[in-house]
Amino acid sequence: MTKAPGSPPPIVFVQRGLAFYFPTVLVQAARRCTSSTLHLISDVDPASFLPADVRPRVAWSPSSTLDHAADDFRRHYVHLSVNRPWLEQLCFERWFMIRELCRLQGLASVIHLDSDVLVESDVGRHLI
């Protein structure tokens, strides 16, 4: 699934669990960013909460198929932050999962949006 030269980069979200706001965020991004493919790395299958018009626009990768990419990091991670340990660790682990997604999908670049970012414009178009 490589992108055509000059086309907007895919947009990637990484989400653990189903936060109350995330379905709205993902649907909004899919409807606004029509020029980009959307990838979701998550432990929750989005099919249950995505409307029919949005479902085909979101490529879901179960986090269990990508989280092995952070194994080396996990062995060396020492939590020193005042933030919650599981959240802080996931903030680092997501970069390894995104890198693995890019490797598997043949993607040279992506736009990573945090799971609480509400998109109001076609982000990919602004970057090409």
Side-chain angles (χ1 to χ4, degrees), residues 32-60:
R32 296 290 183 157
C33 298
T34 57
S35 66
S36 295
T37 304
L38 270 71
H39 289 271
L40 171 61
I41 300 171
S42 178
D43 58 347
V44 176
D45 183 346
S48 65
F49 63 80
L50 290 178
D53 68 309
V54 171
R55 225 171 280 138
R57 302 237 24 257
V58 178
W60 174 52

Side-chain angles (χ1 to χ4, degrees), residues 26 34 103 114 122-123:
L26 194 57
T34 57
R103 186 186 70 76
D114 212 342
D122 195 343
V123 175

Side-chain angles (χ1 to χ4, degrees), residues 13-128:
F13 288 95
V14 179
Q15 175 68 28
R16 183 175 286 164
L18 186 57
F20 73 91
Y21 54 82
F22 189 63
T24 301
V25 167
L26 194 57
V27 169
Q28 179 80 359
R31 289 183 174 157
R32 296 290 183 157
C33 298
T34 57
S35 66
S36 295
T37 304
L38 270 71
H39 289 271
L40 171 61
I41 300 171
S42 178
D43 58 347
V44 176
D45 183 346
S48 65
F49 63 80
L50 290 178
D53 68 309
V54 171
R55 225 171 280 138
R57 302 237 24 257
V58 178
W60 174 52
S61 296
S63 52
S64 62
T65 65
L66 300 170
D67 66 357
H68 68 277
D71 285 347
D72 285 339
F73 168 78
R74 277 188 209 98
R75 281 193 289 278
H76 300 286
Y77 178 73
V78 176
H79 184 73
L80 300 174
S81 173
V82 296
N83 297 324
R84 294 169 287 189
W86 67 268
L87 179 60
E88 194 67 19
Q89 187 169 339
L90 178 62
C91 287
F92 288 106
E93 290 175 357
R94 67 181 166 186
W95 301 113
F96 295 95
M97 290 188 282
I98 291 170
R99 181 179 65 183
E100 182 67 0
L101 175 74
C102 289
R103 186 186 70 76
L104 293 172
Q105 298 288 327
L107 302 171
S109 65
V110 297
I111 300 168
H112 168 262
L113 295 179
D114 212 342
S115 62
D116 62 352
V117 173
L118 189 62
V119 179
E120 287 293 329
S121 64
D122 195 343
V123 175
R125 287 195 193 275
H126 297 291
L127 296 175
I128 57 171

